[in-house]
Amino acid sequence: MAYQVGVIGGDGIGPEVVAEALKVVQAAGVGIDAVDYDLGGARYLRDGTVLPDDVLDEWRKLDALLLGAVGTPGVPPGVIERGLLLKMRFELDLYVNQRPFTWPADGIDMIVIRENTEGTYAGEGGFLRKGTPQEVATQGSVNTRMGVERCVRYAFELAASRPRRHLTLVHKTNVLTFAGDLWERTFNEVASEHPDVTTAYNHVDAACIYMVQKPAEYDVIVTDNLFGDILTDLAGAVSGGIGFASSGNLNPARTGPSMFEPVHGSAPDIAGTGTANPVAAILSAAMMLDHLGEAAAAGRIRTACADTGSLVGGTSEIGDLVKERVQ
């Protein structure tokens, strides 16, 4: 059986790393019928298209989505981020952002679960007296019991399936006393249903310190949208670099396709040079295979990528080496 996968190569190095990921998936023996979509900053600059509703309707019929990276100099800030990435997350209800980080040399094996549809990214806020000396800008954080609880429950179930069975809530409850209170109460209530999972709490600023000083102590982290966005870039930096950081934007209810993408950006400064690291995209494709029920193939890909930090080569060369190890 071939899976129907929407492929958004996007901008910069995006198409290059996605090509390597698809090459490795094929070598792992999984059939993919790729449906290509020309979306991203370059497309916007050509004709103003960001993410049409008819494309979203097509995506709802697919098994999964694989994205390279989006972002192009010259596009106003927020156009692609809100109009493509966030619209995709909101419309397809991709409410869990799962980002694993593994670096055996330092004993790192952690997963960050980031709430993906609420918080400060929900779009609440606005301007008063814009353009005047008295201008006011507000940007609120939207947190619902339903949104927080479904993310927390997913994190507890994931933690319960791992050997260490440990889950850390990261927030800022001492200052964000409303959102933080909702997160903490929800976390504690769900924790009572999982006596097999040990728990901890870190303020987000303390978590930044611990993630640098002793990242191996983390197992699973659950946090809100903004904190998760920042923490996972830091986690990538301490676990080999952002070129190894994969992610899945998940709809655990499977009412639509989930989307998988490397954490890194489009890196326009190295686009076309053949020097981009494709491992993050390859590992994101492995996450996609796990989601599709192809655990054996996904495991072979992860094993093939396990020591790629020591490999020397360009984008296609590293892709070829991983492909050979998978076959």
Side-chain angles (χ1 to χ4, degrees):
M1 182 183 71
Y3 297 98
Q4 302 291 311
V5 175
V7 177
I8 309 103
D11 303 309
I13 64 172
E16 302 170 40
V17 297
V18 163
E20 300 308 310
L22 292 173
K23 181 169 70 179
V24 171
V25 167
Q26 183 179 19
V30 179
I32 296 291
D33 283 341
V35 184
D36 291 313
Y37 290 91
D38 177 18
L39 297 170
R43 175 69 185 276
Y44 173 79
L45 290 176
R46 284 203 313 274
D47 61 17
T49 298
V50 181
L51 177 53
D53 289 339
D54 60 336
V55 170
L56 272 170
D57 291 337
E58 291 180 21
W59 285 353
R60 290 186 176 98
K61 302 172 186 176
L62 301 177
D63 295 308
L65 299 166
L66 182 63
L67 184 145
V70 291
T72 302
V75 178
V79 170
I80 300 302
E81 293 84 356
R82 297 208 67 87
L84 176 58
L85 296 177
L86 294 190
K87 183 177 180 180
M88 185 189 308
R89 293 172 185 172
F90 298 156
E91 293 293 331
L92 300 178
D93 203 21
L94 308 179
Y95 65 85
V96 165
N97 190 299
Q98 180 166 322
R99 297 185 173 184
F101 301 92
T102 303
W103 199 248
D106 294 325
I108 298 172
D109 182 11
M110 64 178 161
I111 300 176
V112 179
I113 300 301
R114 163 190 172 191
E115 199 291 317
N116 213 30
T117 60
E118 297 188 347
T120 50
Y121 291 18
E124 191 277 334
F127 292 101
L128 293 173
R129 299 184 293 275
K130 187 176 182 180
T132 74
Q134 293 80 34
E135 182 173 345
V136 177
T138 62
Q139 193 83 59
S141 179
V142 177
N143 301 264
T144 68
R145 173 66 190 224
M146 181 199 76
V148 173
E149 183 173 339
R150 64 183 183 175
C151 182
V152 167
R153 287 190 177 279
Y154 181 92
F156 268 102
E157 290 166 9
L158 176 64
S161 71
R162 287 167 60 83
R164 292 173 58 190
R165 296 183 179 181
H166 189 272
L167 179 62
T168 303
L169 170 64
V170 173
H171 210 281
K172 189 70 175 172
T173 56
N174 58 339
V175 175
L176 304 178
T177 53
F178 303 125
D181 183 74
L182 174 57
W183 273 86
E184 190 169 44
R185 279 187 291 110
T186 305
F187 183 86
N188 291 338
E189 288 172 25
V190 178
S192 68
E193 303 172 20
H194 293 271
D196 55 331
V197 177
T198 58
T199 62
Y201 171 79
N202 291 164
H203 290 322
V204 65
D205 44 348
C208 290
I209 297 171
Y210 302 150
M211 193 168 283
V212 172
Q213 292 182 340
K214 46 184 181 180
E217 294 194 6
Y218 285 116
D219 182 16
V220 180
I221 292 172
V222 64
T223 189
D224 83 346
N225 210 336
L226 177 60
F227 295 151
D229 194 2
I230 297 167
L231 276 178
T232 51
D233 278 4
L234 179 57
V238 301
S239 57
I242 206 73
F244 297 95
S246 58
S247 77
N249 296 264
L250 307 180
N251 177 334
R254 297 180 184 266
T255 57
S258 294
M259 185 271 280
F260 302 84
E261 60 175 331
V263 173
H264 62 67
S266 60
D269 55 321
I270 61 170
T273 65
T275 59
N277 185 350
V279 173
I282 294 169
L283 290 172
S284 297
M287 292 184 70
M288 178 181 73
L289 296 187
D290 267 327
H291 187 74
L292 293 173
E294 300 286 348
R300 292 200 306 276
I301 292 173
R302 277 192 289 272
T303 299
C305 289
D307 63 350
T308 50
S310 62
L311 296 180
V312 177
T315 307
S316 61
E317 289 82 8
I318 291 177
D320 286 340
L321 287 168
V322 175
K323 173 184 172 181
E324 290 169 8
R325 294 176 177 185
V326 169
Q327 290 175 322

mmCIF file of all heavy atoms in Angstrom, residues 65-68 89 96-101 111-112 114 116 232 242 244-250 258-264 279-288:
data_model
loop_
_atom_site.group_PDB
_atom_site.id
_atom_site.type_symbol
_atom_site.label_atom_id
_atom_site.label_comp_id
_atom_site.label_asym_id
_atom_site.label_seq_id
_atom_site.Cartn_x
_atom_site.Cartn_y
_atom_site.Cartn_z
ATOM 1 N N LEU A 65 1.378 14.898 5.918
ATOM 2 C CA LEU A 65 2.036 16.009 5.227
ATOM 3 C C LEU A 65 3.497 16.046 5.650
ATOM 4 O O LEU A 65 3.822 15.818 6.819
ATOM 5 C CB LEU A 65 1.373 17.344 5.584
ATOM 6 C CG LEU A 65 -0.107 17.491 5.209
ATOM 7 C CD1 LEU A 65 -0.709 18.713 5.916
ATOM 8 C CD2 LEU A 65 -0.284 17.622 3.699
ATOM 9 N N LEU A 66 4.380 16.320 4.692
ATOM 10 C CA LEU A 66 5.812 16.459 4.971
ATOM 11 C C LEU A 66 6.268 17.802 4.440
ATOM 12 O O LEU A 66 6.105 18.095 3.255
ATOM 13 C CB LEU A 66 6.592 15.331 4.300
ATOM 14 C CG LEU A 66 8.109 15.296 4.538
ATOM 15 C CD1 LEU A 66 8.419 15.076 6.017
ATOM 16 C CD2 LEU A 66 8.766 14.212 3.695
ATOM 17 N N LEU A 67 6.814 18.630 5.324
ATOM 18 C CA LEU A 67 7.200 19.991 4.967
ATOM 19 C C LEU A 67 8.701 20.174 5.151
ATOM 20 O O LEU A 67 9.265 19.684 6.134
ATOM 21 C CB LEU A 67 6.412 20.990 5.813
ATOM 22 C CG LEU A 67 6.590 22.481 5.524
ATOM 23 C CD1 LEU A 67 5.282 23.229 5.748
ATOM 24 C CD2 LEU A 67 7.668 23.097 6.427
ATOM 25 N N GLY A 68 9.328 20.885 4.210
ATOM 26 C CA GLY A 68 10.769 21.142 4.310
ATOM 27 C C GLY A 68 11.082 22.332 5.181
ATOM 28 O O GLY A 68 11.599 22.186 6.301
ATOM 29 N N ARG A 89 -1.913 24.478 11.346
ATOM 30 C CA ARG A 89 -2.065 23.884 12.675
ATOM 31 C C ARG A 89 -3.483 24.061 13.207
ATOM 32 O O ARG A 89 -4.059 23.137 13.787
ATOM 33 C CB ARG A 89 -1.058 24.514 13.636
ATOM 34 C CG ARG A 89 0.390 24.175 13.314
ATOM 35 C CD ARG A 89 1.347 24.981 14.161
ATOM 36 N NE ARG A 89 2.731 24.753 13.776
ATOM 37 C CZ ARG A 89 3.768 25.435 14.245
ATOM 38 N NH1 ARG A 89 3.565 26.391 15.155
ATOM 39 N NH2 ARG A 89 4.996 25.169 13.836
ATOM 40 N N VAL A 96 -0.773 18.931 19.065
ATOM 41 C CA VAL A 96 0.458 18.515 19.746
ATOM 42 C C VAL A 96 1.642 18.728 18.822
ATOM 43 O O VAL A 96 1.631 18.265 17.678
ATOM 44 C CB VAL A 96 0.402 17.029 20.162
ATOM 45 C CG1 VAL A 96 1.795 16.510 20.520
ATOM 46 C CG2 VAL A 96 -0.536 16.839 21.345
ATOM 47 N N ASN A 97 2.640 19.438 19.313
ATOM 48 C CA ASN A 97 3.915 19.534 18.602
ATOM 49 C C ASN A 97 4.909 18.695 19.376
ATOM 50 O O ASN A 97 5.265 19.019 20.512
ATOM 51 C CB ASN A 97 4.377 20.988 18.503
ATOM 52 C CG ASN A 97 5.564 21.148 17.574
ATOM 53 O OD1 ASN A 97 6.621 20.578 17.816
ATOM 54 N ND2 ASN A 97 5.393 21.939 16.533
ATOM 55 N N GLN A 98 5.329 17.581 18.774
ATOM 56 C CA GLN A 98 6.221 16.640 19.446
ATOM 57 C C GLN A 98 7.613 16.747 18.844
ATOM 58 O O GLN A 98 7.794 16.574 17.640
ATOM 59 C CB GLN A 98 5.689 15.214 19.294
ATOM 60 C CG GLN A 98 6.555 14.159 19.967
ATOM 61 C CD GLN A 98 5.836 12.830 20.089
ATOM 62 O OE1 GLN A 98 4.643 12.781 20.353
ATOM 63 N NE2 GLN A 98 6.555 11.740 19.915
ATOM 64 N N ARG A 99 8.604 17.023 19.703
ATOM 65 C CA ARG A 99 9.973 17.209 19.242
ATOM 66 C C ARG A 99 10.932 16.364 20.086
ATOM 67 O O ARG A 99 11.177 16.661 21.261
ATOM 68 C CB ARG A 99 10.374 18.685 19.299
ATOM 69 C CG ARG A 99 9.515 19.554 18.370
ATOM 70 C CD ARG A 99 9.962 20.993 18.320
ATOM 71 N NE ARG A 99 9.223 21.734 17.296
ATOM 72 C CZ ARG A 99 9.445 23.002 16.956
ATOM 73 N NH1 ARG A 99 10.405 23.689 17.579
ATOM 74 N NH2 ARG A 99 8.741 23.595 16.017
ATOM 75 N N PRO A 100 11.465 15.291 19.508
ATOM 76 C CA PRO A 100 12.410 14.437 20.234
ATOM 77 C C PRO A 100 13.850 14.922 20.058
ATOM 78 O O PRO A 100 14.214 15.439 18.998
ATOM 79 C CB PRO A 100 12.219 13.082 19.555
ATOM 80 C CG PRO A 100 11.822 13.420 18.145
ATOM 81 C CD PRO A 100 11.077 14.722 18.205
ATOM 82 N N PHE A 101 14.637 14.736 21.091
ATOM 83 C CA PHE A 101 16.053 15.124 21.051
ATOM 84 C C PHE A 101 16.884 13.995 21.648
ATOM 85 O O PHE A 101 16.706 13.633 22.813
ATOM 86 C CB PHE A 101 16.286 16.422 21.826
ATOM 87 C CG PHE A 101 15.478 17.571 21.290
ATOM 88 C CD1 PHE A 101 14.215 17.849 21.812
ATOM 89 C CD2 PHE A 101 15.950 18.339 20.244
ATOM 90 C CE1 PHE A 101 13.450 18.884 21.301
ATOM 91 C CE2 PHE A 101 15.194 19.383 19.723
ATOM 92 C CZ PHE A 101 13.942 19.653 20.243
ATOM 93 N N ILE A 111 11.922 14.236 25.050
ATOM 94 C CA ILE A 111 10.893 14.655 24.104
ATOM 95 C C ILE A 111 10.176 15.857 24.699
ATOM 96 O O ILE A 111 9.766 15.826 25.868
ATOM 97 C CB ILE A 111 9.882 13.539 23.822
ATOM 98 C CG1 ILE A 111 10.579 12.310 23.218
ATOM 99 C CG2 ILE A 111 8.793 14.035 22.868
ATOM 100 C CD1 ILE A 111 9.652 11.129 22.989
ATOM 101 N N VAL A 112 10.026 16.904 23.913
ATOM 102 C CA VAL A 112 9.256 18.071 24.337
ATOM 103 C C VAL A 112 7.895 18.031 23.656
ATOM 104 O O VAL A 112 7.810 17.935 22.427
ATOM 105 C CB VAL A 112 9.985 19.385 23.997
ATOM 106 C CG1 VAL A 112 9.138 20.587 24.433
ATOM 107 C CG2 VAL A 112 11.357 19.430 24.660
ATOM 108 N N ARG A 114 4.788 20.266 23.043
ATOM 109 C CA ARG A 114 4.403 21.680 23.028
ATOM 110 C C ARG A 114 2.946 21.807 22.576
ATOM 111 O O ARG A 114 2.572 21.274 21.537
ATOM 112 C CB ARG A 114 5.322 22.419 22.066
ATOM 113 C CG ARG A 114 4.865 23.782 21.597
ATOM 114 C CD ARG A 114 5.769 24.240 20.461
ATOM 115 N NE ARG A 114 5.289 25.460 19.829
ATOM 116 C CZ ARG A 114 5.770 25.956 18.690
ATOM 117 N NH1 ARG A 114 6.764 25.331 18.068
ATOM 118 N NH2 ARG A 114 5.277 27.062 18.181
ATOM 119 N N ASN A 116 0.076 23.316 20.667
ATOM 120 C CA ASN A 116 0.365 23.823 19.329
ATOM 121 C C ASN A 116 -0.705 24.710 18.720
ATOM 122 O O ASN A 116 -0.536 25.166 17.580
ATOM 123 C CB ASN A 116 0.599 22.615 18.399
ATOM 124 C CG ASN A 116 1.603 22.883 17.302
ATOM 125 O OD1 ASN A 116 2.519 23.677 17.468
ATOM 126 N ND2 ASN A 116 1.426 22.212 16.180
ATOM 127 N N THR A 232 12.618 24.304 22.529
ATOM 128 C CA THR A 232 13.044 23.271 21.585
ATOM 129 C C THR A 232 14.190 23.742 20.692
ATOM 130 O O THR A 232 14.986 22.918 20.237
ATOM 131 C CB THR A 232 11.870 22.782 20.731
ATOM 132 O OG1 THR A 232 11.174 23.893 20.152
ATOM 133 C CG2 THR A 232 10.895 21.963 21.567
ATOM 134 N N ILE A 242 20.739 22.138 15.442
ATOM 135 C CA ILE A 242 19.382 22.191 14.913
ATOM 136 C C ILE A 242 19.230 21.341 13.659
ATOM 137 O O ILE A 242 18.120 20.958 13.281
ATOM 138 C CB ILE A 242 18.976 23.664 14.647
ATOM 139 C CG1 ILE A 242 17.460 23.834 14.716
ATOM 140 C CG2 ILE A 242 19.562 24.181 13.349
ATOM 141 C CD1 ILE A 242 16.909 23.761 16.118
ATOM 142 N N PHE A 244 19.752 18.349 13.403
ATOM 143 C CA PHE A 244 19.335 17.003 13.783
ATOM 144 C C PHE A 244 17.953 16.989 14.433
ATOM 145 O O PHE A 244 17.484 15.935 14.860
ATOM 146 C CB PHE A 244 20.348 16.388 14.760
ATOM 147 C CG PHE A 244 21.710 16.205 14.172
ATOM 148 C CD1 PHE A 244 22.695 17.174 14.366
ATOM 149 C CD2 PHE A 244 22.021 15.099 13.411
ATOM 150 C CE1 PHE A 244 23.961 17.023 13.829
ATOM 151 C CE2 PHE A 244 23.284 14.939 12.862
ATOM 152 C CZ PHE A 244 24.256 15.896 13.055
ATOM 153 N N ALA A 245 17.296 18.153 14.519
ATOM 154 C CA ALA A 245 16.049 18.279 15.282
ATOM 155 C C ALA A 245 14.829 18.072 14.394
ATOM 156 O O ALA A 245 14.573 18.839 13.470
ATOM 157 C CB ALA A 245 15.989 19.651 15.959
ATOM 158 N N SER A 246 14.066 17.025 14.710
ATOM 159 C CA SER A 246 12.863 16.692 13.945
ATOM 160 C C SER A 246 11.620 17.074 14.732
ATOM 161 O O SER A 246 11.680 17.331 15.935
ATOM 162 C CB SER A 246 12.839 15.190 13.642
ATOM 163 O OG SER A 246 12.894 14.443 14.851
ATOM 164 N N SER A 247 10.478 17.081 14.061
ATOM 165 C CA SER A 247 9.241 17.399 14.774
ATOM 166 C C SER A 247 8.033 16.853 14.039
ATOM 167 O O SER A 247 8.054 16.647 12.824
ATOM 168 C CB SER A 247 9.077 18.913 14.963
ATOM 169 O OG SER A 247 8.656 19.536 13.767
ATOM 170 N N GLY A 248 6.979 16.623 14.837
ATOM 171 C CA GLY A 248 5.689 16.258 14.290
ATOM 172 C C GLY A 248 4.624 17.173 14.838
ATOM 173 O O GLY A 248 4.566 17.408 16.048
ATOM 174 N N ASN A 249 3.805 17.722 13.943
ATOM 175 C CA ASN A 249 2.627 18.493 14.336
ATOM 176 C C ASN A 249 1.453 17.521 14.245
ATOM 177 O O ASN A 249 1.005 17.186 13.141
ATOM 178 C CB ASN A 249 2.429 19.681 13.405
ATOM 179 C CG ASN A 249 3.567 20.680 13.483
ATOM 180 O OD1 ASN A 249 3.492 21.669 14.201
ATOM 181 N ND2 ASN A 249 4.634 20.424 12.737
ATOM 182 N N LEU A 250 0.975 17.066 15.396
ATOM 183 C CA LEU A 250 0.111 15.892 15.431
ATOM 184 C C LEU A 250 -1.350 16.215 15.709
ATOM 185 O O LEU A 250 -1.673 17.074 16.532
ATOM 186 C CB LEU A 250 0.599 14.930 16.515
ATOM 187 C CG LEU A 250 2.071 14.513 16.454
ATOM 188 C CD1 LEU A 250 2.378 13.568 17.606
ATOM 189 C CD2 LEU A 250 2.419 13.885 15.126
ATOM 190 N N SER A 258 -1.592 14.515 9.985
ATOM 191 C CA SER A 258 -0.578 15.198 10.784
ATOM 192 C C SER A 258 0.534 15.670 9.858
ATOM 193 O O SER A 258 0.702 15.151 8.750
ATOM 194 C CB SER A 258 -0.035 14.269 11.863
ATOM 195 O OG SER A 258 -1.039 13.965 12.813
ATOM 196 N N MET A 259 1.292 16.665 10.315
ATOM 197 C CA MET A 259 2.340 17.264 9.488
ATOM 198 C C MET A 259 3.687 17.119 10.174
ATOM 199 O O MET A 259 3.805 17.330 11.383
ATOM 200 C CB MET A 259 2.023 18.743 9.234
ATOM 201 C CG MET A 259 2.994 19.433 8.271
ATOM 202 S SD MET A 259 4.423 20.173 9.080
ATOM 203 C CE MET A 259 3.721 21.700 9.698
ATOM 204 N N PHE A 260 4.714 16.785 9.397
ATOM 205 C CA PHE A 260 6.041 16.515 9.931
ATOM 206 C C PHE A 260 7.048 17.414 9.234
ATOM 207 O O PHE A 260 6.996 17.597 8.011
ATOM 208 C CB PHE A 260 6.373 15.036 9.754
ATOM 209 C CG PHE A 260 5.358 14.150 10.420
ATOM 210 C CD1 PHE A 260 4.182 13.803 9.764
ATOM 211 C CD2 PHE A 260 5.544 13.729 11.724
ATOM 212 C CE1 PHE A 260 3.219 13.029 10.400
ATOM 213 C CE2 PHE A 260 4.583 12.957 12.369
ATOM 214 C CZ PHE A 260 3.420 12.606 11.700
ATOM 215 N N GLU A 261 7.972 17.984 10.024
ATOM 216 C CA GLU A 261 8.912 18.961 9.477
ATOM 217 C C GLU A 261 10.157 19.036 10.355
ATOM 218 O O GLU A 261 10.087 18.831 11.562
ATOM 219 C CB GLU A 261 8.273 20.349 9.415
ATOM 220 C CG GLU A 261 7.845 20.861 10.776
ATOM 221 C CD GLU A 261 7.328 22.286 10.763
ATOM 222 O OE1 GLU A 261 7.756 23.075 9.900
ATOM 223 O OE2 GLU A 261 6.494 22.610 11.634
ATOM 224 N N PRO A 262 11.316 19.331 9.769
ATOM 225 C CA PRO A 262 12.491 19.620 10.595
ATOM 226 C C PRO A 262 12.279 20.923 11.353
ATOM 227 O O PRO A 262 11.533 21.796 10.901
ATOM 228 C CB PRO A 262 13.620 19.734 9.569
ATOM 229 C CG PRO A 262 12.942 20.076 8.280
ATOM 230 C CD PRO A 262 11.599 19.414 8.337
ATOM 231 N N VAL A 263 12.931 21.047 12.499
ATOM 232 C CA VAL A 263 12.765 22.252 13.316
ATOM 233 C C VAL A 263 13.441 23.457 12.673
ATOM 234 O O VAL A 263 13.001 24.599 12.851
ATOM 235 C CB VAL A 263 13.320 21.996 14.736
ATOM 236 C CG1 VAL A 263 13.317 23.268 15.569
ATOM 237 C CG2 VAL A 263 12.495 20.912 15.432
ATOM 238 N N HIS A 264 14.476 23.210 11.885
ATOM 239 C CA HIS A 264 15.249 24.325 11.329
ATOM 240 C C HIS A 264 14.444 25.124 10.297
ATOM 241 O O HIS A 264 13.392 24.685 9.816
ATOM 242 C CB HIS A 264 16.541 23.814 10.689
ATOM 243 C CG HIS A 264 16.351 22.877 9.532
ATOM 244 N ND1 HIS A 264 15.811 23.267 8.329
ATOM 245 C CD2 HIS A 264 16.652 21.555 9.392
ATOM 246 C CE1 HIS A 264 15.787 22.239 7.492
ATOM 247 N NE2 HIS A 264 16.274 21.184 8.115
ATOM 248 N N VAL A 279 19.500 15.446 7.931
ATOM 249 C CA VAL A 279 19.127 14.453 8.939
ATOM 250 C C VAL A 279 17.840 14.827 9.656
ATOM 251 O O VAL A 279 16.992 13.967 9.935
ATOM 252 C CB VAL A 279 20.281 14.233 9.933
ATOM 253 C CG1 VAL A 279 19.837 13.321 11.086
ATOM 254 C CG2 VAL A 279 21.472 13.609 9.218
ATOM 255 N N ALA A 280 17.643 16.103 9.977
ATOM 256 C CA ALA A 280 16.409 16.509 10.657
ATOM 257 C C ALA A 280 15.185 16.185 9.809
ATOM 258 O O ALA A 280 14.155 15.729 10.327
ATOM 259 C CB ALA A 280 16.448 17.997 10.986
ATOM 260 N N ALA A 281 15.277 16.408 8.508
ATOM 261 C CA ALA A 281 14.162 16.084 7.615
ATOM 262 C C ALA A 281 13.957 14.578 7.528
ATOM 263 O O ALA A 281 12.816 14.088 7.496
ATOM 264 C CB ALA A 281 14.411 16.671 6.229
ATOM 265 N N ILE A 282 15.056 13.822 7.493
ATOM 266 C CA ILE A 282 14.961 12.364 7.431
ATOM 267 C C ILE A 282 14.314 11.822 8.711
ATOM 268 O O ILE A 282 13.438 10.942 8.665
ATOM 269 C CB ILE A 282 16.353 11.742 7.212
ATOM 270 C CG1 ILE A 282 16.895 12.142 5.830
ATOM 271 C CG2 ILE A 282 16.305 10.231 7.346
ATOM 272 C CD1 ILE A 282 18.365 11.797 5.606
ATOM 273 N N LEU A 283 14.720 12.340 9.859
ATOM 274 C CA LEU A 283 14.133 11.904 11.121
ATOM 275 C C LEU A 283 12.673 12.329 11.240
ATOM 276 O O LEU A 283 11.859 11.620 11.864
ATOM 277 C CB LEU A 283 14.949 12.441 12.295
ATOM 278 C CG LEU A 283 16.333 11.813 12.473
ATOM 279 C CD1 LEU A 283 17.123 12.556 13.548
ATOM 280 C CD2 LEU A 283 16.228 10.330 12.820
ATOM 281 N N SER A 284 12.333 13.465 10.654
ATOM 282 C CA SER A 284 10.923 13.884 10.636
ATOM 283 C C SER A 284 10.102 12.912 9.805
ATOM 284 O O SER A 284 8.960 12.571 10.154
ATOM 285 C CB SER A 284 10.805 15.301 10.076
ATOM 286 O OG SER A 284 11.469 16.239 10.901
ATOM 287 N N ALA A 285 10.678 12.449 8.695
ATOM 288 C CA ALA A 285 9.995 11.443 7.879
ATOM 289 C C ALA A 285 9.833 10.144 8.653
ATOM 290 O O ALA A 285 8.820 9.438 8.517
ATOM 291 C CB ALA A 285 10.763 11.211 6.586
ATOM 292 N N ALA A 286 10.825 9.798 9.495
ATOM 293 C CA ALA A 286 10.694 8.606 10.343
ATOM 294 C C ALA A 286 9.543 8.768 11.333
ATOM 295 O O ALA A 286 8.782 7.821 11.586
ATOM 296 C CB ALA A 286 12.004 8.348 11.085
ATOM 297 N N MET A 287 9.383 9.968 11.892
ATOM 298 C CA MET A 287 8.246 10.233 12.767
ATOM 299 C C MET A 287 6.940 10.041 12.009
ATOM 300 O O MET A 287 5.961 9.513 12.546
ATOM 301 C CB MET A 287 8.327 11.648 13.338
ATOM 302 C CG MET A 287 9.444 11.899 14.311
ATOM 303 S SD MET A 287 9.384 13.576 15.025
ATOM 304 C CE MET A 287 7.925 13.447 16.070
ATOM 305 N N MET A 288 6.916 10.483 10.765
ATOM 306 C CA MET A 288 5.727 10.316 9.930
ATOM 307 C C MET A 288 5.405 8.838 9.755
ATOM 308 O O MET A 288 4.239 8.425 9.855
ATOM 309 C CB MET A 288 5.947 10.983 8.568
ATOM 310 C CG MET A 288 4.788 10.837 7.606
ATOM 311 S SD MET A 288 5.120 11.621 6.002
ATOM 312 C CE MET A 288 6.309 10.460 5.292
#
